[in-house]
Amino acid sequence: MTTSTETNTRVLLRSRPVGEPTADDFEIVREPVPQPAAGEVLVRTSYLSLDPYMRGRMSAAESYAAPTGLGEVMPAGTVGEVVDSRDPSLEVGDVVLAYGGWQAYAAVPARQVRKLDPALAPVSTALGVLGMPGFTAYAGLTVLGRPQPGETVVVAAATGPVGATVGQLAKIHGARAVGIAGGPEKVAHLEELGFDAAIDHRAADFTEQLAAATPDGIDVYFENVGGAVWDAVLPRLNLYARVPVCGLVAHYNETEAPAGPDRSAALMRHVLNKSLTIRGFIQTEFVPEHHDRFLAEMGRWVTEGDVGYREDIVDGLENAPEAFIGLLKGRNFGKLIIRL
Ligand SMILES: NC(=O)c1ccc[n+]([C@@H]2O[C@H](COP(=O)([O-])OP(=O)(O)OC[C@H]3O[C@@H](n4cnc5c(N)ncnc54)[C@H](OP(=O)(O)O)[C@@H]3O)[C@@H](O)[C@H]2O)c1
């Protein structure tokens, strides 16, 4: 139970960013702690996930999900403790995964939360390798990428929770994993994770490095970023290559189409000549069929050490806006999480 003196710190969307978000696009408020209604639980947030998709929610542009309204709390997956329960399925003290948003307390329907077992893995992993980003990597790579032994899989944003998992799963499937990341420290981490090759997209000779790292071409390119990385990858795709399009983080802050000639005809020539499969997806599409298997398999790989993960933990809800702004520029190193 909470006491009447406690307040709920919340981060609201104040304005829709034009280009890069700024701290002024967010507003931090203190309000009374909500009371759960029948069928709800009150969850006190311990960890909150910051993810690139939130940039889309800040925008009113048409997307796969409705925008967050101005004055509404920013959306987020959260891990927290049940402090009040009005549903028989959950008790005070249970640790749960919820969609609580950027706030210290959330009253949420009990049927929308999943109870976690803290003995199985650190509960913060439910926001990363054992949560939505890990599942995105798992489903996108296995269902759409379908890597075969000996094939070459390339992924960028490779030290993040999606990319790092893609590369390690590619290895489990017997493929060669090539990771792309920003800066030497991140590149060194990819080598520690067991990637066969790691390259820095900020290096002046990035295109040459990519060619050297993919002597047999690329069979699966797991698209997380777009931009200059995609330009370098496209000519190296092999016949029948698969491109699961998971995200385009290099473009999320763009305000207009990139300069230069329209290159869509050249792209379609590659699609035709190489019989490419380019397939966008949102991970929720695969939840009904694949999520239970993901939890079982990934839970085992993580606990047995076959899949490693790195978290970038920032303390304090008031630091969430700056941390999120940095995520879109590569300032995070691993799964970005706010600890309350
Ligand atoms: N389709 C879905 O259902 C779904 C679900 C979850 C995530 N996603 C997408 O998956 C991608 C990765 O997500 P994540 O949570 O794992 O993020 P993340 O890797 O933790 O963070 C984003 C990373 O993108 C890289 N980046 C930013 N701008 C870049 C640029 N111009 N060129 C190359 N890299 C750039 C940065 O890493 P470096 O410093 O290494 O460049 C940054 O750390 C995102 O595009 C996200 O939107 C999609």
Side-chain angles (χ1 to χ4, degrees), residues 32-278:
V33 174
Q35 297 292 317
E40 288 188 337
V41 287
L42 180 65
V43 181
R44 182 170 55 214
T45 308
S46 310
Y47 299 100
L48 117 74
S49 178
L50 294 181
D51 298 88
Y53 75 82
M54 294 164 182
R55 178 64 184 85
R57 299 289 199 283
M58 296 177 81
S59 162
E62 192 184 341
S63 182
Y64 61 90
T68 299
L70 293 177
E72 286 180 5
V73 72
M74 285 290 296
T78 53
V79 165
E81 188 180 332
V82 173
V83 291
D84 194 357
S85 176
R86 296 209 45 211
D87 190 90
S89 66
L90 289 165
E91 292 173 12
V92 169
D94 284 345
V95 179
V96 294
L97 172 67
Y99 201 63
W102 296 26
Q103 55 187 341
Y105 290 91
V108 290
R111 64 187 153 72
Q112 287 176 12
V113 311
R114 180 158 61 80
K115 191 172 161 179
L116 300 173
D117 181 353
L120 288 183
V123 290
S124 57
T125 57
L127 301 174
V129 66
L130 293 177
M132 184 279 284
F135 178 67
T136 301
Y138 176 89
L141 187 71
T142 55
V143 182
L144 303 178
R146 304 183 309 281
Q148 305 301 308
E151 286 191 333
T152 297
V153 174
V154 174
V155 64
T159 61
V162 176
T165 311
V166 165
Q168 294 177 86
L169 291 182
K171 295 294 295 175
I172 288 173
H173 285 276
R176 236 183 121 249
V178 177
I180 299 169
E185 217 189 334
K186 289 186 176 180
V187 166
H189 178 61
L190 294 179
E191 284 154 7
E192 284 161 23
L193 285 177
F195 280 67
D196 297 284
I199 31 182
D200 183 351
H201 66 87
R202 298 205 199 119
D205 62 345
F206 167 66
T207 303
E208 291 75 25
Q209 284 194 36
L210 181 69
T214 57
D216 300 325
I218 298 170
D219 302 291
V220 180
Y221 173 57
F222 193 100
E223 174 63 295
N224 277 336
V225 301
V229 174
W230 169 236
D231 289 343
V233 162
L234 180 61
R236 301 207 56 73
L237 292 174
N238 287 336
L239 191 64
Y240 302 122
R242 286 82 69 200
V243 182
V245 181
C246 172
L248 297 167
V249 68
H251 302 285
Y252 291 170
N253 284 331
E254 271 173 3
T255 51
E256 54 191 32
D262 180 353
R263 290 177 295 164
S264 51
L267 167 64
M268 293 307 267
R269 260 197 305 279
H270 277 288
V271 171
L272 176 64
N273 293 343
K274 299 277 184 66
S275 301
L276 304 179
T277 303
I278 300 181

Side-chain angles (χ1 to χ4, degrees), residues 279-294:
R279 161 72 146 86
F281 73 100
I282 303 301
Q283 51 84 23
T284 44
E285 165 186 357
F286 299 113
V287 166
E289 196 178 338
H290 300 281
H291 199 262
D292 286 348
R293 192 161 44 87
F294 158 75

